[in-house]
Amino acid sequence: MALTKQEWVALEKKAHELRTLCLDTTNWAGSGHIGGGLSCMDILTMLYHKHLNLSDDPNWEDRDRFILSKGHAGIAYAPALISRGYNDVEQLKTFNLTNSKMGIHLDSNKVDGVDASTGSLGHGISIAVGTALAARVQKKSWLTYCITGDGELNEGQVWEAAMAAAHFGCTNLITFVDRNNCMIDGRTEDIMALEPLADKWAAFGFIVKEIDGQNLNEIDDAIEFAKANTTNQPVLILCNTKKGAGIANIEDNYLWHYGAMDEAMYEKSKAELAAYHQARLVRAEREGS
């Protein structure tokens, strides 16, 4: 079912709040993985503000699990957790600084709400398959959600996990690929071509739903589709996104896998995010049901 206009507008406002907080954190830290953080922020917004079954207690036993396999996007993940009240926004002012609890890859032993420490690429989806199987063994109804990066798909461990998920029928696992076409040292198709990516996931036994990963309505529809899945195949949501979405100098630029900005660029970026938000609100008002 499509988002109502009221829901869509409210979620757009939340997504803008989180994008701005991601930018602020990059400024406070002096640098960060803002490009890949912004490309997956809409997915994080939909998960943490509509779909994840959570409570005020981040350790609630029956909560849905979330694994950020592309752990370097912690600069986006931390604001999402803070927006649920699990951590203090003041912690972001020391992000990745000496003695901070908020490291560049979020540590599950230090940051409330983090279900798994990630950062070694490929590990996250393997952990997610494990948590999905654990729920089955324990006869629990909670779901596991996992976001992988597309550059991360170069890791063979990702495909071992995919084989296991399909073989064991992990339909309580919903996986996203943040397909921003960029990785640390170039365009994905130049470094290690992934296409035909949808066909590869299908060949590994997944039902693939390809969407615009910067359209909240499409993300919502894809998650609802995955939740309603009655087959024995897991669902992969292939999200076409832009690295650094909303900031002109960063958008679709692989050089912004990690970077720093001066005060002038920070202020310009904040203005560009505001304009990006307004354009998205127009779409929500026009297309919301």
Side-chain angles (χ1 to χ4, degrees), residues 47-48 51-54 61-69 115-116 123-136 138 140-148 165 170-176 206 223 226-227 234-237:
L47 288 176
Y48 277 90
H51 286 285
L52 284 173
N53 184 27
L54 303 171
E61 184 179 348
D62 291 325
R63 70 190 183 280
D64 285 341
R65 270 56 170 180
F66 170 71
I67 312 293
L68 181 67
S69 195
D115 287 316
H123 290 190
I125 187 170
S126 299
I127 296 170
V129 172
T131 60
L133 290 171
R136 179 185 298 169
Q138 296 175 55
K140 296 288 189 178
S141 61
W142 46 264
L143 303 175
T144 295
Y145 296 82
C146 179
I147 298 178
T148 71
C170 295
T171 55
N172 58 347
L173 168 66
I174 299 172
T175 308
F176 302 83
F206 282 70
I223 296 172
K227 285 180 174 180
V235 172
L236 183 285
I237 303 173

Side-chain angles (χ1 to χ4, degrees), residues 121-262:
L121 297 179
H123 290 190
I125 187 170
S126 299
I127 296 170
V129 172
T131 60
L133 290 171
R136 179 185 298 169
V137 168
Q138 296 175 55
K139 295 180 169 47
K140 296 288 189 178
S141 61
W142 46 264
L143 303 175
T144 295
Y145 296 82
C146 179
I147 298 178
T148 71
D150 51 1
E152 179 179 14
L153 302 185
N154 291 354
E155 299 285 349
Q157 185 176 350
V158 169
W159 300 102
E160 292 180 58
M163 283 192 290
H167 177 78
F168 292 111
C170 295
T171 55
N172 58 347
L173 168 66
I174 299 172
T175 308
F176 302 83
V177 173
D178 180 11
R179 182 64 166 129
N180 61 33
N181 292 284
C182 296
M183 54 192 297
I184 191 169
D185 43 5
R187 308 287 297 180
T188 58
E189 298 312 288
D190 295 333
I191 302 304
M192 185 65 70
L194 293 169
E195 294 300 336
L197 188 53
D199 292 344
K200 286 177 180 173
W201 281 97
F204 272 75
F206 282 70
I207 297 170
V208 180
K209 192 163 181 67
E210 188 167 1
I211 64 167
D212 176 354
Q214 253 94 57
N215 183 316
L216 296 179
N217 195 51
E218 289 194 25
I219 298 169
D220 179 64
D221 179 69
I223 296 172
E224 294 289 3
F225 170 84
K227 285 180 174 180
N229 176 28
T230 58
T231 76
N232 64 353
Q233 293 178 265
V235 172
L236 183 285
I237 303 173
L238 182 54
C239 301
N240 293 302
T241 62
K242 290 284 183 69
K243 200 174 194 78
I247 300 177
N249 288 354
I250 299 176
E251 193 166 273
D252 200 32
N253 183 351
Y254 77 84
L255 295 175
W256 273 92
H257 176 82
Y258 185 92
M261 56 184 68
D262 59 19

Side-chain angles (χ1 to χ4, degrees), residues 269-286:
S269 297
K270 183 168 282 192
E272 288 174 349
L273 284 181
Y276 180 63
H277 172 55
Q278 289 304 313
R280 290 175 52 135
L281 281 179
V282 169
R283 180 174 63 183
E285 291 281 0
R286 182 180 65 247

Side-chain angles (χ1 to χ4, degrees), residues 52-107:
L52 284 173
N53 184 27
L54 303 171
S55 78
D56 292 338
D57 176 7
N59 297 312
W60 176 44
E61 184 179 348
D62 291 325
R63 70 190 183 280
D64 285 341
R65 270 56 170 180
F66 170 71
I67 312 293
L68 181 67
S69 195
K70 48 174 287 182
H72 54 281
I75 204 160
Y77 186 19
L81 291 169
I82 284 166
S83 71
R84 287 299 305 234
Y86 292 159
N87 300 275
D88 189 337
V89 69
E90 290 297 309
Q91 290 179 273
L92 292 182
K93 294 181 180 179
T94 63
F95 188 89
N96 200 35
L97 303 182
T98 303
N99 297 322
S100 175
K101 288 185 176 182
M102 290 280 184
I104 203 157
H105 301 97
L106 300 188
D107 186 334

